[in-house]
Amino acid sequence: MSFQVFGLPVSRGIAIGRAVLIASSRVDVAHYFISDAQVDTEIGRLRSARNAVADELSTLQRDLPPEAPPELSALLDVHLMLLHDESLTGATKVWIRERRYNAEWALSAQLEVLARQFDEMDDVYLRERKADLEQVVERLLRAMARAAAAPDAGAPTVGLPATSEDPLVMVANDIAPADMLQFKKSVFSGFVTDLGGRTSHTAIVARSMDIPAVVGAREASRLIRQDDWVIIDGDAGIVIVDPSPEVMAEYRAFRQQRERRRAVLARLRHTPAVTRDGEQVELLANIEMPGDAAAALQAGAAGIGLFRSEFLFMNRDGQLPSEDEQYEAYRTAVEAMHGLPVTIRTVDVGADKALDRMSTNELRHEHVLNPALGLRAIRWSLSEPAMFRAQLRAILRAAAHGPVKLLIPMLAHLSEVRRTLEALARARQQLAEAGRAFGAVEVGAMIEVPAAALVLPAFLRHFDFVSIGTNDLIQYTLAIDRADDSVAHLYDPWHPAVLRLIAQSIEQARSVGRSVSVCGEMAGDPSFTELLLGMGLRSFSMHPSQVVAVKERLLATDTREWARRVESILSAESPERACQAAATLMAAEAAAPRETAVLG
């Protein structure tokens, strides 16, 4: 039976495919695709785990004390029976062979299938046996985890294609940014999560993958079954499960229309980014990994406005990347841009981008009451001086290969500015003393804390440029954790307080001759293009896939006209009125004759 699930649209487009459920478990489960050559190995891991658990259960049963109730031995019999039931281990092997899931993922997938079958049983006793099944699977997962921790355990292979010819979409309760990065090169054409907001890092990485996504869909992972046909409408925030043939045909037609539209926009890639009144605008790209630089060039970006270096630190089991490893990554990106500037942000971890190792005393994300306000970004870097200097040295060394800018996240205090610049000076000194080649870098501050925006003139005396990180600026201005599903609906970039802080920051930076850019999600949202241009912004940084859409808007914009209109939007009393004022002005401009464009 067809039904719909509603959530938040965070990455535009239409995806159609079979559902792949990333199951939640009390045991952390790795999800990755394996190669053909690894199938037998994974089945062997499953078999070994089953044998180990069988030995555990048999030993427990054999060693039961005489006074133990007979029900306990019977329960162990049930667990042994479930363990050897072909509907569990036999079907798990099918997931491994046919979908190329690793053993843990395959076992979790089959647990989802069987758990639903137990839920649908009429007999209460049989229905309650689902808990026994979950306990058996947990034992199997723990046995595989112990085996994987052995010194000779091989590293997983991520992102290899599945053998199924059907397209796949991912469905999960939530996906950590580090896990999203693992799936970046995989076969998923879209994804749905129960949790998340429009600017959670999961959503941001979804846009960076340029695939349709819906987050905050509440019960999606419970309602959708393995292998269900699913349509993800990333424009409307709708997920259609088991669609009728008519609905499927309609959405396939929508998808073809979007592809034709993308082809038309692609023709603008190499058109100069100049407004109707002759203002030159810089359109830059945001990237997560060095390999993303190729997409930036392909999109026609004028450089990298934000290299999120923290993704080099993730999925490493707590081991930080060395200076040389970071240098090679940064150098690769710099050389790939062929002389165009690359802005590298120092590691911004914490909040929803926690590492396995968050400090020298093993501070972990889940132990922090409010990680968005805790030891994150520059605060963490300054608390780990050896790590921070290693990163700074790596960036300085990469600057010998091309133009590099250094961007510091989440500054709020002048004391942090002073300590950061001291660390940079020390890093230069260490390289000079070691005889290592390094280059000059411009140094910039991210304005993403209201305190930084309010004391910006003092900051500007110490920096060459500023970059406004609208995602966090909105979060901290409105006191909303953007990773918290319960308040995600209150996150609103149209809030007058947010718009006024952005306008003020742009004006103050320009007044003293400092370059200013916006690198948050607002930069890549075409509905804000005219307003930001009217505020005086001339540098936007966004995901490569959004460059041509923003360019299309700016090519049709008269910045002089919009400079006169900004105040009417900033003076609005609510987000709704600000958004409506902007929409009214854009509609009026679209309907007006374009003689000025001809005269210009």
Side-chain angles (χ1 to χ4, degrees), residues 9 46 51 56 73 77 87-89 151 170 177 217 240-241 279 307 323 354 376 407 420 434 456 536 557 577:
L46 177 66
N51 294 339
E56 290 175 9
S73 180
D77 281 332
S87 66
L88 178 62
T89 53
M170 187 195 309
I240 304 172
V241 184
E279 287 287 317
F307 183 157
E323 175 186 333
R376 57 164 297 196
L407 186 58
T420 297
L456 186 55
T557 301
R577 291 188 177 182

Side-chain angles (χ1 to χ4, degrees), residues 307-432:
F307 183 157
R308 297 184 175 102
S309 66
E310 55 271 14
F311 287 94
L312 298 175
F313 289 68
M314 293 180 173
N315 295 327
R316 303 177 59 91
D317 295 324
Q319 298 299 313
L320 299 178
S322 67
E323 175 186 333
D324 286 342
E325 183 180 348
Q326 291 185 69
Y327 160 68
E328 290 297 333
Y330 305 143
R331 179 181 62 82
T332 298
V334 170
E335 292 180 343
M337 292 306 293
H338 303 295
L340 295 175
V342 176
T343 302
I344 303 173
R345 182 175 69 185
T346 59
V347 61
D348 181 7
V349 295
D352 61 345
K353 292 182 293 181
L355 301 184
D356 295 327
R357 174 182 183 270
M358 280 298 296
S359 74
T360 51
N361 62 356
E362 299 299 317
L363 174 66
R364 292 181 62 85
H365 179 194
E366 60 266 29
H367 296 161
V368 182
L369 291 178
N370 194 332
L373 301 179
L375 190 67
R376 57 164 297 196
I378 190 60
R379 299 171 182 176
W380 183 66
S381 293
L382 292 174
S383 75
E384 295 274 1
M387 179 284 302
F388 191 36
R389 284 196 300 271
Q391 181 173 39
L392 293 174
R393 290 194 300 269
I395 294 172
L396 288 169
R397 289 168 61 191
H401 302 274
V404 170
K405 296 182 179 182
L406 175 66
L407 186 58
I408 311 299
M410 204 181 165
L411 289 164
H413 302 271
L414 282 174
S415 60
E416 294 170 336
V417 174
R418 175 182 53 77
R419 292 174 63 195
T420 297
L421 297 179
E422 288 175 352
L424 181 60
R426 176 61 178 153
R428 287 194 184 99
Q429 181 184 8
Q430 289 173 332
L431 289 173

Side-chain angles (χ1 to χ4, degrees), residues 5 8-20 168-172 188-193 211-215 217 220 224 229-241 243 248 251 254-255 258:
V5 180
L8 299 173
V10 295
S11 187
R12 299 172 67 86
I14 305 295
I16 302 173
R18 288 195 178 274
V20 174
L168 304 177
V169 298
M170 187 195 309
V171 182
F188 296 111
S189 59
F191 78 85
V192 184
T193 63
I211 63 172
V214 173
V215 303
I224 300 172
W229 275 103
V230 173
I231 296 173
I232 299 173
D233 186 336
D235 296 294
I238 298 173
V239 181
I240 304 172
V241 184
M248 187 79 86
Y251 269 94
F254 288 160
R255 190 169 58 182
R258 289 188 60 87

Side-chain angles (χ1 to χ4, degrees), residues 22-24 28-31 170-184 191-196 200-206 208-209 215 288 310-311 314-315 350-356 364-366 483:
I22 306 299
S24 300
D28 290 336
V29 175
H31 298 79
M170 187 195 309
V171 182
N173 179 255
D174 195 15
I175 309 170
D179 293 333
M180 284 293 298
L181 197 66
Q182 288 195 1
F183 286 118
K184 193 166 184 178
F191 78 85
V192 184
T193 63
D194 300 339
L195 305 179
S200 63
H201 279 280
T202 301
I204 292 171
V205 178
S208 79
M209 294 166 67
V215 303
E288 283 81 40
E310 55 271 14
F311 287 94
M314 293 180 173
N315 295 327
D352 61 345
K353 292 182 293 181
L355 301 184
D356 295 327
R364 292 181 62 85
H365 179 194
E366 60 266 29

